[in-house]
């Protein structure tokens, strides 16, 4: 009896969701949705109160099909965006993922304006952060 209880306790952590990254919190997550065939941007601000940097390496959402980590930049006078492998949230600092900079790109959006989409952020140390992003349309933002 004692042995069985011990095994159950040892297995429990593996069945649970990955822990959130230490000291990292999210503010003002939101999505901009236009049309089903136009990728939707997801924006948020990550803050890190810990002594170690946190590295965002990806994200997923059942409302997006593929959810990519993008960075917008101006090249030769026009704004381009490209997929990036990671984005750093500095120790005792923050990372604003906003229009014109880093953002999440929801390639096959299945959402409605006024609704909410769940997003899981994945960090390099294996930790994850679950976020709920309200959906805005073309002409509004939080
Ligand atoms: Cu993009």
């Amino acid at each position: 009896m004692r042995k069985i209880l011990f095994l159950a306790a040892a297995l429990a952590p593996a069945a649970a969701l990955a822990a959130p990254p230490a000291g990292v919190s999210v503010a003002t997550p939101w999505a901009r949705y236009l049309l089903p065939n136009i990728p939707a941007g997801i924006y948020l601000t990550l803050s890190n109160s810990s002594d170690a940097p946190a590295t965002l390496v990806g994200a997923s959402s059942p409302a997006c099909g593929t959810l990519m980590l993008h960075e917008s930049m101006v090249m030769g006078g026009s704004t381009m965006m490209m997929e990036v492998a990671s984005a750093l949230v500095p120790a005792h600092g923050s990372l604003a993922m906003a229009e014109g900079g880093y953002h999440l790109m929801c390639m096959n959006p299945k959402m409605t304006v006024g609704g909410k989409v769940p997003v899981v952020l994945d960090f390099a140390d294996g930790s994850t952060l679950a976020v709920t992003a309200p959906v805005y349309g073309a002409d509004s933002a939080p």
Side-chain angles (χ1 to χ4, degrees):
M1 191 55 162
R2 185 169 289 170
K3 191 176 218 170
I4 289 168
L5 287 172
F6 172 78
L7 283 173
L11 288 171
L17 278 172
V24 175
S25 59
V26 64
T28 328
W30 67 287
R32 169 160 282 147
Y33 175 73
L34 302 171
L35 290 166
N37 58 344
I38 297 178
I42 297 179
Y43 311 100
L44 50 88
T45 298
L46 289 165
S47 295
N48 181 2
S49 65
S50 78
D51 292 330
T55 306
L56 180 66
V57 294
S60 60
S61 172
C64 291
T66 301
L67 186 52
M68 300 171 82
L69 182 55
H70 273 188
E71 184 179 13
S72 295
M73 55 190 68
V74 178
M75 284 176 142
S78 57
T79 302
M80 318 268 289
M81 60 179 145
M82 57 176 55
E83 186 175 15
V84 293
S86 64
L88 193 75
V89 191
H92 301 288
S94 63
L95 171 70
M97 302 184 72
E99 291 171 284
Y102 285 111
H103 57 277
L104 300 173
M105 200 96 252
C106 185
M107 300 310 289
N108 301 104
K110 293 176 278 290
M111 58 183 73
T112 52
V113 173
K116 292 181 174 181
V117 294
V119 176
V120 174
L121 305 174
D122 299 315
F123 292 83
D125 65 357
S127 61
T128 63
L129 197 56
V131 173
T132 301
V135 181
Y136 290 76
D139 301 323
S140 62

